[in-house]
Amino acid sequence: MDTEKLNQALYDKMAAEQEQFKHGLLGMTAEEALNHAYEYVMREDILMSMEVLNLPAPQAEALLESPCPLADIYKDFRDMETGHMDNIRECIEGRAESLMEAQRETAPIIPIYPHTGEYAREHGELDAFLASLETNVACRDAIETAIREGFDGMSLHADTKGVLAAFGAERVSHVLAATLQGIRSDPRVSSGNRAWAATVPMFDTAGRHRDYLITSHPGVLSIFVTQTRKEMDAMQKQTEKKPSIKAQLAAKPVPGGQPAAKPKGQEVR
């Protein structure tokens, strides 16, 4: 028997074996059948692979000698170390990150309150002041978490993009600068970061910014600040490159309308 016929015979035998397995499942209760659901799906995948495989004749002959080649292959597959669960975990984490990013994009960012607490009380804006303060504290916590999870003892790979997406560049800058201004004499903070922090205004002269100072190691914090500033610069450049909505509309031809370029003095209808 030639190779093609051997492979066809093997596939037919395995297909018949799978059909028999299926009938056995149909005779079980639903709960019993569920216990074999994974096996059924994997056997289906093996059978699907056999449709496109063209095994050498000796391999096909060896499998044909088995009374149940499909069950044999499934048992070997089941005992193999595969990355199946790793793939599932990555899929779960990836989906969660996508949803979190979508939520961050749609969630309103609370603006920084640009006055002191005393001013807020005098002008009936205490709620806005307290909401801003509470968000500053949440931003501090997010920064500390990003540093803790991103530092491996030697280098920092923090999720600066995630923190910026959640709280906005202005608030992240404010919380970082408030902390650096409080440790401006610490040599573990780079001179460039100290100079940058000095340019960020602190609105509450009563010192409420102490409520959201970051407690991470100053040296690692300085690295985080550097990485965040680079990310903010990249975001700014990306924004500058992106055309405005007005420019996009002007460049887009209107179906059935006149060409965008008009001779001087021609009336636009």
Side-chain angles (χ1 to χ4, degrees):
M1 190 181 296
D2 62 26
T3 302
E4 184 177 348
K5 290 181 179 179
L6 280 169
N7 276 272
Q8 184 61 49
L10 177 59
Y11 175 80
D12 292 342
K13 183 174 185 177
M14 292 171 68
E17 184 183 347
Q18 179 68 347
E19 190 66 21
Q20 185 177 3
F21 182 77
K22 177 181 176 181
H23 281 300
L25 292 179
L26 292 174
M28 298 179 181
T29 65
E31 186 173 354
E32 290 173 334
L34 280 175
N35 292 330
H36 298 277
Y38 175 79
E39 180 178 358
Y40 176 78
V41 171
M42 292 302 102
R43 288 166 64 114
E44 282 286 300
D45 285 348
I46 294 169
L47 194 59
M48 190 183 302
S49 296
M50 286 302 304
E51 287 188 272
V52 294
L53 275 177
N54 188 27
L55 294 174
Q59 291 185 1
E61 287 178 337
L63 286 170
L64 274 169
E65 289 295 322
S66 170
C68 47
L70 180 56
D72 290 343
I73 295 169
Y74 169 72
K75 288 175 184 176
D76 289 343
F77 170 80
R78 182 188 59 193
D79 295 336
M80 287 176 62
E81 289 290 336
T82 69
H84 179 64
M85 296 308 296
D86 290 337
N87 293 336
I88 290 177
R89 187 184 66 253
E90 290 174 6
C91 184
I92 293 171
E93 292 173 348
R95 182 57 180 165
E97 287 297 326
S98 297
L99 290 172
M100 288 169 60
E101 183 176 352
Q103 290 166 1
R104 286 194 293 260
E105 290 177 355
T106 57
I109 294 179
I110 297 174
I112 291 180
Y113 187 75
H115 304 292
T116 66
E118 182 180 358
Y119 179 96
R121 281 190 294 272
E122 292 175 353
H123 292 79
E125 298 175 352
L126 193 57
D127 286 346
F129 170 80
L130 292 176
S132 179
L133 179 62
E134 182 180 349
T135 310
N136 286 343
V137 173
C139 182
R140 174 205 63 192
D141 293 344
I143 291 171
E144 290 181 348
T145 298
I147 292 174
R148 182 173 62 254
E149 294 180 350
F151 187 59
D152 61 8
M154 295 293 291
S155 56
L156 181 66
H157 305 281
D159 183 18
T160 56
K161 289 184 178 180
V163 175
L164 287 167
F167 295 96
E170 183 183 16
R171 187 174 302 281
V172 173
S173 296
H174 178 80
V175 174
L176 290 174
T179 301
L180 295 191
Q181 288 184 25
I183 55 173
R184 60 173 61 91
S185 60
D186 195 313
R188 292 170 292 186
V189 178
S190 72
S191 58
N193 285 336
R194 288 199 300 268
W196 168 80
T199 66
V200 180
M202 295 294 113
F203 304 113
D204 192 356
T205 54
R208 291 301 297 272
H209 58 272
R210 287 195 296 268
D211 294 344
Y212 48 85
L213 296 184
I214 301 164
T215 59
S216 303
H217 185 280
V220 183
L221 174 60
S222 184
I223 298 173
F224 180 87
V225 174
T226 299
Q227 293 177 352
T228 303
R229 291 174 60 197
K230 287 181 179 179
E231 183 62 34
M232 289 191 295
D233 287 344
M235 289 167 57
Q236 181 62 34
K237 290 177 181 177
Q238 186 66 27
T239 301
E240 292 171 355
K241 288 180 180 179
K242 186 177 180 180
S244 66
I245 298 297
K246 184 178 179 180
Q248 293 180 52
L249 290 174
K252 185 177 180 180
V254 180
Q258 296 292 332
K262 299 285 183 184
K264 240 180 197 181
Q266 180 176 337
E267 182 182 356
V268 180
R269 299 184 181 274

